Amino acid sequence: MLSPSDLRKEIENRLRKYLARDKSGIRKELLSLFVRAKSLTVAQIHEKLAEKFSVSYHSIASMVGTIASKLGILSTRRSPDGTTGVYEVKEQYVDVIEQAIATAV
């Protein structure tokens, strides 16, 4: 079991690797949306990213799912009506995300 500081370092490393593979800038923009809004649905993310990038709804859903499961910086809950998933950035990782975005090339 990782200590909280080791877990934080592991998430930092994963986040940096994830952003290093970002050729178009979409991953960086997606993470920036979460830092600003804190809580978003896939539909809301798609609407914002489609303004700048040619991207499908399903590819956005896949990216968000990867971030939630592999990076561990998002939590999921159901909307009040129970029809859509709402993704929220975990507060303890906001500064890590901001640093990674700032240093990403």
Side-chain angles (χ1 to χ4, degrees):
M1 184 94 177
L2 295 174
S3 71
S5 64
D6 289 340
L7 179 60
R8 188 175 175 86
K9 287 177 186 172
E10 180 65 27
I11 288 174
E12 283 180 47
N13 289 335
R14 289 179 185 178
L15 190 54
R16 289 187 199 289
K17 288 177 186 176
Y18 182 75
L19 286 172
R21 295 186 306 271
D22 186 14
K23 303 294 184 222
S24 66
I26 193 167
R27 294 176 180 188
K28 187 175 178 179
E29 185 64 29
L30 173 61
L31 291 169
S32 295
L33 282 174
F34 273 111
V35 168
R36 288 191 307 268
K38 307 286 190 242
S39 177
L40 296 161
T41 65
V42 173
Q44 291 170 324
I45 297 166
H46 178 258
E47 182 181 316
K48 291 288 187 187
L49 292 180
E51 294 172 1
K52 293 184 179 180
F53 303 95
S54 175
V55 64
S56 72
Y57 181 90
H58 293 289
S59 64
I60 296 297
S62 178
M63 287 172 55
V64 172
T66 298
I67 292 170
S69 65
K70 303 278 189 215
L71 299 179
I73 59 174
L74 300 177
S75 60
T76 311
R77 65 174 172 81
R78 284 273 164 215
S79 64
D81 62 4
T83 59
T84 58
V86 178
Y87 292 88
E88 298 175 330
V89 66
K90 293 179 181 176
E91 239 356 270
Q92 68 264 34
Y93 299 122
V94 171
D95 62 327
V96 173
I97 298 167
E98 288 173 336
Q99 289 173 359
I101 291 170
T103 60
V105 180

